[in-house]
Amino acid sequence: MVTAASVVVAVGAATGMITALEDRDGTDEARPSVTNSPSLDPAPVVPPSPPASPTPAERGRLSGSPVPKASARPTATAPAAGRTRAPAASGRLYRNPSSQVLDWVRANPGDPRASVIRSRIAEQPAAVWFTDSRRDTIASRVRAVTSGAAAQGRVPVLVVYAIPERDCGGASEGGAPDLDSYDAWIDGFAAGLGSGEVIVVLEPDSIAQSECLSADGRAARFASLARAGRVLKSANPRARVYYDAGHSGWHAASKQAALLRQAGAASAASSDGIFSNVSNFHRTADEIVYDRAVLDALGGPAGLGAVIDTSRNGAGAPPDGEWCDPDGRKLGRTPTLSTGEARIDAYLWVKLPGESDGCKGEPGQFSPSYAYDLASS
């Protein structure tokens, strides 16, 4: 059985979950960690007893925990029929001035690895993760990033990562306490988007890893994700919202497309397309083929596209399926909004290279040795 690896941000608080981030200058700085994704074999809604050697994600899965019904939650007003879809992002990508790698480079100018890490990682634009589900500060934290990008005429990449029952109880567990709270948090997030171009990566693993939920719970999550897309795009018509397609080593394209369709990803009112390979290692060429297959199966407007996380996929995925800081990996293509590939809107660095999966350092913490290995391979 082939095992697919998916790497996401670990979050938590003083309640015992893994700590993910701290506020700096009003923004979230992710402290990514990892979990294994479900296997390629189809899984039932409520998983069977785990195998003899379960993956971390399989050990932590929920067994169909109920969540509010979709019909019980508020809905967003869809954009008026016939509204022109936002044009493709055209500016340069934004580099957040506050990150772990920049902190390390500034604090260690004399380290012999610093110049390589600075030039190949720290100077590249990367996504900013929002993982803390506090509603009172989310608008200001998002606004700090979008206004900073707008002042430079650049395009920020924001990762929304606060869905309830995130990571199915794995290492990245957490999120909002329930979907009503999440919907309100999304409203606040949208309030900080401003009016400039912005790319939103909406909830990594929330669709590809949804089979741990009950049927009702999955339907409720998908309704909330569809609502989130509508709210974000209504708040800022220039926002481009992408939905979770997993990656080329996970679900078949037709299966993933069916899940995406239920979550609103085929509707121009909520979606600009899909994202894949977040924090993973699969080769860009494989992701292009996979993403196009998903988009074909998804249907929807012809303008739907895909963005691919290329931060650590320069050597492809390890043949043995290792997912935790595997040796021999290297940086992938630098972030760009000009891919030259039909239906591929951008190559992005969603996970910041050098932030450990938990084997070459503490989960989510920047490891200069790991970063140097990636940057000098």
Side-chain angles (χ1 to χ4, degrees):
M1 179 175 70
V2 179
T3 300
S6 178
V7 188
V8 293
V9 164
V11 302
T15 57
M17 293 183 288
I18 298 175
T19 300
L21 54 92
E22 60 182 334
D23 287 346
R24 290 190 184 177
D25 301 325
T27 66
D28 283 347
E29 291 185 29
R31 301 292 188 260
S33 182
V34 300
T35 63
N36 260 14
S37 302
S39 70
L40 293 174
D41 295 339
V45 173
V46 179
S49 299
S53 300
T55 67
E58 287 169 333
R59 284 197 296 267
R61 285 182 185 171
L62 306 175
S63 55
S65 301
V67 293
K69 300 284 187 180
S71 59
R73 299 195 325 282
T75 59
T77 301
R83 191 184 75 179
T84 302
R85 181 174 177 270
S90 57
R92 295 173 297 169
L93 289 165
Y94 177 64
R95 186 192 70 163
N96 189 28
S98 181
S99 68
Q100 290 190 85
V101 62
L102 283 169
D103 288 348
W104 183 86
V105 166
R106 291 162 182 156
N108 297 275
D111 191 293
R113 302 165 294 184
S115 61
V116 171
I117 293 173
R118 178 190 300 107
S119 63
R120 300 211 61 201
I121 297 178
E123 293 181 356
Q124 298 299 328
V128 181
W129 290 69
F130 293 86
T131 66
D132 187 328
S133 60
R134 291 175 298 167
R135 285 186 279 171
D136 58 335
T137 61
I138 185 59
S140 62
R141 287 183 281 138
V142 173
R143 190 176 298 113
V145 177
T146 57
S147 61
Q152 297 180 19
R154 299 195 177 194
V155 182
V157 179
L158 313 180
V159 183
V160 177
Y161 195 57
I163 197 79
E165 301 181 20
R166 182 180 57 210
D167 197 31
C168 294
S172 299
E173 66 182 347
D178 54 55
L179 288 172
D180 287 332
S181 297
Y182 179 74
D183 290 346
W185 184 83
I186 285 291
D187 293 344
F189 191 102
L193 285 178
S195 59
E197 291 178 306
V198 57
I199 293 173
V200 180
V201 174
L202 183 62
E203 299 293 349
D205 285 358
S206 62
I207 297 174
Q209 198 183 24
S210 63
E211 290 180 316
C212 63
L213 302 173
S214 68
D216 286 347
R218 191 163 56 251
R221 171 182 285 190
F222 289 173
S224 198
L225 288 171
R227 177 192 185 276
R230 294 194 301 271
V231 168
L232 296 170
K233 291 181 69 62
S234 294
N236 180 356
R238 300 179 75 190
R240 298 181 61 79
V241 180
Y242 294 89
Y243 281 70
D244 170 38
H247 55 70
S248 59
W250 201 340
H251 297 309
S254 58
K255 177 177 180 178
Q256 188 63 33
L259 296 171
L260 282 158
R261 198 176 301 111
Q262 295 174 55
S267 170
S270 54
S271 170
D272 289 279
I274 61 175
F275 63 83
S276 72
N277 206 43
V278 165
S279 301
N280 221 286
F281 304 94
H282 295 275
R283 291 186 183 275
T284 301
D286 294 333
E287 293 303 300
I288 291 172
V289 171
Y290 172 72
D291 288 348
R292 287 174 177 162
V294 172
L295 289 168
D296 287 343
L298 179 62
L304 295 183
V307 297
I308 299 170
D309 186 357
T310 60
S311 59
R312 305 187 300 177
N313 72 344
D320 61 359
E322 178 57 57
W323 55 267
C324 187
D325 300 332
D327 292 327
R329 303 309 96 196
K330 63 182 182 179
L331 302 176
R333 300 187 186 192
T334 54
T336 181
L337 298 171
S338 301
T339 69
E341 293 284 349
R343 307 201 79 179
I344 307 301
D345 295 343
Y347 301 137
L348 305 175
W349 281 12
V350 182
K351 180 182 173 78
L352 188 63
E355 292 185 351
S356 175
D357 299 332
C359 293
K360 295 184 183 296
E362 292 297 318
Q365 296 301 308
F366 181 74
S367 166
S369 61
Y370 182 32
Y372 185 76
D373 287 346
L374 289 167
S376 60
S377 296

PDB file of all heavy atoms in Angstrom, residues 34 322-326 356-363:
ATOM      1  N   VAL A  34       3.739  18.484  10.811  1.00  0.00           N
ATOM      2  CA  VAL A  34       3.318  17.555   9.779  1.00  0.00           C
ATOM      3  C   VAL A  34       2.443  16.450  10.326  1.00  0.00           C
ATOM      4  O   VAL A  34       2.436  16.146  11.500  1.00  0.00           O
ATOM      5  CB  VAL A  34       4.544  16.884   9.123  1.00  0.00           C
ATOM      6  CG1 VAL A  34       5.457  17.901   8.501  1.00  0.00           C
ATOM      7  CG2 VAL A  34       5.303  16.066  10.145  1.00  0.00           C
ATOM      8  N   GLU A 322       8.773   8.477   2.996  1.00  0.00           N
ATOM      9  CA  GLU A 322       9.125   9.263   4.183  1.00  0.00           C
ATOM     10  C   GLU A 322       8.596  10.683   4.036  1.00  0.00           C
ATOM     11  O   GLU A 322       8.709  11.307   2.992  1.00  0.00           O
ATOM     12  CB  GLU A 322      10.643   9.294   4.370  1.00  0.00           C
ATOM     13  CG  GLU A 322      11.113  10.129   5.555  1.00  0.00           C
ATOM     14  CD  GLU A 322      10.520   9.679   6.875  1.00  0.00           C
ATOM     15  OE1 GLU A 322      10.697   8.499   7.224  1.00  0.00           O
ATOM     16  OE2 GLU A 322       9.852  10.506   7.522  1.00  0.00           O
ATOM     17  N   TRP A 323       8.003  11.191   5.116  1.00  0.00           N
ATOM     18  CA  TRP A 323       7.389  12.512   5.058  1.00  0.00           C
ATOM     19  C   TRP A 323       7.985  13.500   6.050  1.00  0.00           C
ATOM     20  O   TRP A 323       7.740  14.691   5.953  1.00  0.00           O
ATOM     21  CB  TRP A 323       5.882  12.407   5.336  1.00  0.00           C
ATOM     22  CG  TRP A 323       5.581  11.708   6.643  1.00  0.00           C
ATOM     23  CD1 TRP A 323       5.339  10.378   6.816  1.00  0.00           C
ATOM     24  CD2 TRP A 323       5.505  12.300   7.942  1.00  0.00           C
ATOM     25  NE1 TRP A 323       5.125  10.093   8.152  1.00  0.00           N
ATOM     26  CE2 TRP A 323       5.213  11.263   8.861  1.00  0.00           C
ATOM     27  CE3 TRP A 323       5.639  13.597   8.422  1.00  0.00           C
ATOM     28  CZ2 TRP A 323       5.074  11.490  10.231  1.00  0.00           C
ATOM     29  CZ3 TRP A 323       5.496  13.822   9.788  1.00  0.00           C
ATOM     30  CH2 TRP A 323       5.213  12.765  10.673  1.00  0.00           C
ATOM     31  N   CYS A 324       8.765  13.016   6.989  1.00  0.00           N
ATOM     32  CA  CYS A 324       9.250  13.882   8.058  1.00  0.00           C
ATOM     33  C   CYS A 324      10.685  14.320   7.782  1.00  0.00           C
ATOM     34  O   CYS A 324      11.635  13.560   8.005  1.00  0.00           O
ATOM     35  CB  CYS A 324       9.161  13.155   9.404  1.00  0.00           C
ATOM     36  SG  CYS A 324       9.555  14.191  10.823  1.00  0.00           S
ATOM     37  N   ASP A 325      10.835  15.525   7.259  1.00  0.00           N
ATOM     38  CA  ASP A 325      12.159  16.080   6.956  1.00  0.00           C
ATOM     39  C   ASP A 325      13.035  15.074   6.209  1.00  0.00           C
ATOM     40  O   ASP A 325      14.179  14.820   6.608  1.00  0.00           O
ATOM     41  CB  ASP A 325      12.868  16.512   8.241  1.00  0.00           C
ATOM     42  CG  ASP A 325      12.112  17.560   9.017  1.00  0.00           C
ATOM     43  OD1 ASP A 325      11.360  18.332   8.393  1.00  0.00           O
ATOM     44  OD2 ASP A 325      12.265  17.621  10.257  1.00  0.00           O
ATOM     45  N   PRO A 326      12.537  14.484   5.135  1.00  0.00           N
ATOM     46  CA  PRO A 326      13.335  13.448   4.454  1.00  0.00           C
ATOM     47  C   PRO A 326      14.626  14.004   3.885  1.00  0.00           C
ATOM     48  O   PRO A 326      14.688  15.154   3.424  1.00  0.00           O
ATOM     49  CB  PRO A 326      12.402  12.970   3.339  1.00  0.00           C
ATOM     50  CG  PRO A 326      11.467  14.111   3.104  1.00  0.00           C
ATOM     51  CD  PRO A 326      11.268  14.743   4.442  1.00  0.00           C
ATOM     52  N   SER A 356      10.919  22.803  10.235  1.00  0.00           N
ATOM     53  CA  SER A 356      11.011  21.357  10.391  1.00  0.00           C
ATOM     54  C   SER A 356       9.651  20.683  10.495  1.00  0.00           C
ATOM     55  O   SER A 356       8.691  21.242  11.019  1.00  0.00           O
ATOM     56  CB  SER A 356      11.829  21.027  11.646  1.00  0.00           C
ATOM     57  OG  SER A 356      11.836  19.633  11.888  1.00  0.00           O
ATOM     58  N   ASP A 357       9.608  19.451   9.995  1.00  0.00           N
ATOM     59  CA  ASP A 357       8.428  18.604  10.162  1.00  0.00           C
ATOM     60  C   ASP A 357       8.439  17.892  11.511  1.00  0.00           C
ATOM     61  O   ASP A 357       7.479  17.217  11.863  1.00  0.00           O
ATOM     62  CB  ASP A 357       8.377  17.544   9.060  1.00  0.00           C
ATOM     63  CG  ASP A 357       8.289  18.153   7.673  1.00  0.00           C
ATOM     64  OD1 ASP A 357       7.753  19.268   7.558  1.00  0.00           O
ATOM     65  OD2 ASP A 357       8.759  17.522   6.709  1.00  0.00           O
ATOM     66  N   GLY A 358       9.551  18.006  12.242  1.00  0.00           N
ATOM     67  CA  GLY A 358       9.618  17.386  13.558  1.00  0.00           C
ATOM     68  C   GLY A 358      10.745  16.396  13.726  1.00  0.00           C
ATOM     69  O   GLY A 358      10.937  15.854  14.819  1.00  0.00           O
ATOM     70  N   CYS A 359      11.522  16.158  12.666  1.00  0.00           N
ATOM     71  CA  CYS A 359      12.628  15.199  12.761  1.00  0.00           C
ATOM     72  C   CYS A 359      14.003  15.870  12.766  1.00  0.00           C
ATOM     73  O   CYS A 359      14.914  15.392  13.413  1.00  0.00           O
ATOM     74  CB  CYS A 359      12.540  14.199  11.608  1.00  0.00           C
ATOM     75  SG  CYS A 359      11.105  13.104  11.699  1.00  0.00           S
ATOM     76  N   LYS A 360      14.150  16.959  12.060  1.00  0.00           N
ATOM     77  CA  LYS A 360      15.418  17.687  12.065  1.00  0.00           C
ATOM     78  C   LYS A 360      15.370  18.891  13.004  1.00  0.00           C
ATOM     79  O   LYS A 360      16.255  19.742  12.991  1.00  0.00           O
ATOM     80  CB  LYS A 360      15.767  18.135  10.640  1.00  0.00           C
ATOM     81  CG  LYS A 360      16.026  16.986   9.680  1.00  0.00           C
ATOM     82  CD  LYS A 360      16.467  17.500   8.329  1.00  0.00           C
ATOM     83  CE  LYS A 360      16.657  16.360   7.327  1.00  0.00           C
ATOM     84  NZ  LYS A 360      17.720  15.431   7.685  1.00  0.00           N
ATOM     85  N   GLY A 361      14.345  18.951  13.813  1.00  0.00           N
ATOM     86  CA  GLY A 361      14.147  20.026  14.771  1.00  0.00           C
ATOM     87  C   GLY A 361      12.782  19.883  15.395  1.00  0.00           C
ATOM     88  O   GLY A 361      12.035  18.951  15.072  1.00  0.00           O
ATOM     89  N   GLU A 362      12.446  20.775  16.297  1.00  0.00           N
ATOM     90  CA  GLU A 362      11.111  20.742  16.882  1.00  0.00           C
ATOM     91  C   GLU A 362      10.078  20.996  15.792  1.00  0.00           C
ATOM     92  O   GLU A 362      10.332  21.752  14.854  1.00  0.00           O
ATOM     93  CB  GLU A 362      10.990  21.814  17.969  1.00  0.00           C
ATOM     94  CG  GLU A 362      11.826  21.543  19.200  1.00  0.00           C
ATOM     95  CD  GLU A 362      11.406  20.270  19.908  1.00  0.00           C
ATOM     96  OE1 GLU A 362      10.190  20.041  20.031  1.00  0.00           O
ATOM     97  OE2 GLU A 362      12.296  19.504  20.317  1.00  0.00           O
ATOM     98  N   PRO A 363       8.908  20.352  15.885  1.00  0.00           N
ATOM     99  CA  PRO A 363       7.897  20.538  14.841  1.00  0.00           C
ATOM    100  C   PRO A 363       7.575  22.015  14.614  1.00  0.00           C
ATOM    101  O   PRO A 363       7.252  22.750  15.537  1.00  0.00           O
ATOM    102  CB  PRO A 363       6.676  19.798  15.399  1.00  0.00           C
ATOM    103  CG  PRO A 363       7.246  18.771  16.320  1.00  0.00           C
ATOM    104  CD  PRO A 363       8.450  19.428  16.953  1.00  0.00           C
TER     105      PRO A 363
END
